[in-house]
Amino acid sequence: MRNAIRLAATLGCAFAMAVPALAVTEPESAPPIVINGGEIELPTSAPAPEFLKGVFDTIYSGWLFRDADTQAMQTDDFSNPGMIFVDQGVDQWSKVDGTEGKSCADCHKDISSMKGVRASMPKVNPDAKELWSVENYINACRTERMGAEPWEWSSAPMEAMTLAISLQSRGEPVNVKIDGDAAPYWEQGKEIYYTRYGQLQLSCANCHEDHYGDMIRADHLSQGQINGFPVYRNNGAGVVSIHERFSGCIRDTRAEPFKQGSPEFRALELYVASRGAGLPVEGASVRH
């Protein structure tokens, strides 16, 4: 049985490499995500960024590529299992931790002050003179201001906090900076995106650009947009960070992933985020 699964996986990826790009199937429609009976409506499509012209005319949320049951879970905050982790993050926000006797709220007040943060991440920290993700800023606050231990990149408290912060930007369009001091990181991320990795010699673009809309095994390939991340994933019954998803994709090519939080993954995060510029931050999104 195990050998059969391995063979199916190999054939599925080989199929993705062999089928021409014309096999791409766009969604038949792109209805908005209507949350809480109409309280919030999130667009699921937007014009492609200028640098993607000739590749995509329109960019689509990954929500459109999920089954109806999974989609429905995201349309009601009461039924959305990701909201449990949002609540955990909000609790952590006000929790005193570390030798300085401080919480996040002591400096930043209510967590609503984080509105817009997720939409602009990652970005270059002028003090550190390098590209930082939300997780870097969280750990800098913990270690430098709170005197607390840093959290592991995809640990439970970090994922809950990043999800709670993301929710504050729900509906805000992704708008990451890719020029000026961010340009070298964007170029690095682009190179990684189009590089083939692993025994299967697949790049991000092979699945999410050449074959989005197609099926590989039981997976309906999306454009790989990350405006919904971190997400709650049903198949793991937990929250998955952006870098954790990158790691999983690279492992699927039978390659050794970059370390989560590494400069390589942060650069890739910037490039992939820029491909979704104009799509709204979805906050506590749900995927299969």
Side-chain angles (χ1 to χ4, degrees), residues 118 159 162-164 166 226 228-232 239-242 283-285:
R118 173 67 184 84
E159 289 176 337
T162 54
L163 190 57
S166 179
I226 58 172
F229 277 75
V231 302
Y232 177 88
V239 180
V240 174
S241 72
I242 296 170
S285 59

Side-chain angles (χ1 to χ4, degrees), residues 25-39:
T25 303
E26 293 193 345
E28 293 183 2
S29 63
I33 306 172
V34 180
I35 299 174
N36 300 338
E39 176 186 334

Side-chain angles (χ1 to χ4, degrees), residues 9-278:
T10 301
L11 290 176
C13 289
F15 173 80
M17 295 175 67
V19 175
L22 292 177
V24 167
T25 303
E26 293 193 345
E28 293 183 2
S29 63
I33 306 172
V34 180
I35 299 174
N36 300 338
E39 176 186 334
I40 303 167
E41 288 196 13
L42 304 178
T44 55
S45 66
E50 190 63 34
F51 68 86
L52 283 179
K53 298 295 180 162
V55 177
F56 299 141
D57 292 325
T58 305
I59 52 176
Y60 297 105
S61 164
W63 182 85
L64 294 171
F65 299 83
R66 302 284 64 91
D67 62 65
D69 290 340
T70 302
Q71 289 179 338
M73 295 174 74
Q74 194 174 328
T75 63
D76 187 331
D77 285 347
F78 185 78
S79 301
N80 185 336
M83 287 299 176
I84 296 172
F85 299 92
V86 169
D87 289 342
Q88 293 174 4
V90 171
D91 288 343
Q92 290 167 354
W93 182 265
S94 301
K95 182 180 178 180
V96 172
D97 194 8
T99 59
E100 300 301 311
K102 290 183 178 181
S103 69
C104 302
D106 286 321
C107 291
H108 300 288
K109 308 307 178 185
D110 190 80
I111 195 170
S112 61
S113 65
M114 294 291 104
K115 182 177 180 179
V117 169
R118 173 67 184 84
S120 65
M121 290 291 180
K123 65 180 181 180
V124 175
N125 182 324
D127 295 327
K129 294 183 173 57
E130 62 178 356
L131 186 71
W132 276 20
S133 301
V134 173
E135 290 88 344
N136 294 108
Y137 284 95
I138 290 171
N139 272 340
C141 282
R142 287 185 58 78
T143 58
E144 297 172 14
R145 298 181 183 180
M146 297 169 65
E149 292 295 318
W151 286 330
E152 291 293 328
W153 197 270
S154 291
S155 63
M158 181 66 88
E159 289 176 337
M161 181 63 79
T162 54
L163 190 57
I165 290 173
S166 179
L167 184 67
Q168 310 314 308
S169 295
R170 183 161 63 176
E172 296 284 316
V174 173
N175 185 26
V176 291
K177 182 180 178 182
I178 64 174
D179 57 0
D181 54 2
Y185 301 102
W186 186 84
E187 292 290 350
Q188 180 187 10
K190 180 179 180 181
E191 181 180 358
I192 293 171
Y193 189 88
Y194 286 101
T195 297
R196 294 177 181 267
Y197 291 99
Q199 292 178 333
L200 298 178
Q201 284 293 286
L202 290 170
S203 70
C204 306
N206 288 135
C207 287
H208 299 297
E209 187 170 295
D210 298 338
H211 293 286
Y212 81 91
D214 294 341
M215 300 294 294
I216 288 188
R217 303 185 297 280
D219 190 19
H220 191 194
L221 292 175
S222 72
Q223 290 181 343
Q225 303 292 356
I226 58 172
N227 59 302
F229 277 75
V231 302
Y232 177 88
R233 294 197 72 189
N234 288 322
N235 64 358
V239 180
V240 174
S241 72
I242 296 170
H243 291 197
E244 189 174 357
R245 181 61 261 170
F246 288 167
S247 293
C249 283
I250 291 180
R251 279 197 302 269
D252 287 345
T253 72
R254 299 183 183 175
E256 184 68 27
F258 299 110
K259 183 180 178 182
Q260 293 182 40
S262 65
E264 292 85 359
F265 268 173
R266 280 180 271 149
L268 181 60
E269 180 184 347
L270 176 62
Y271 180 70
V272 177
S274 74
R275 293 171 68 88

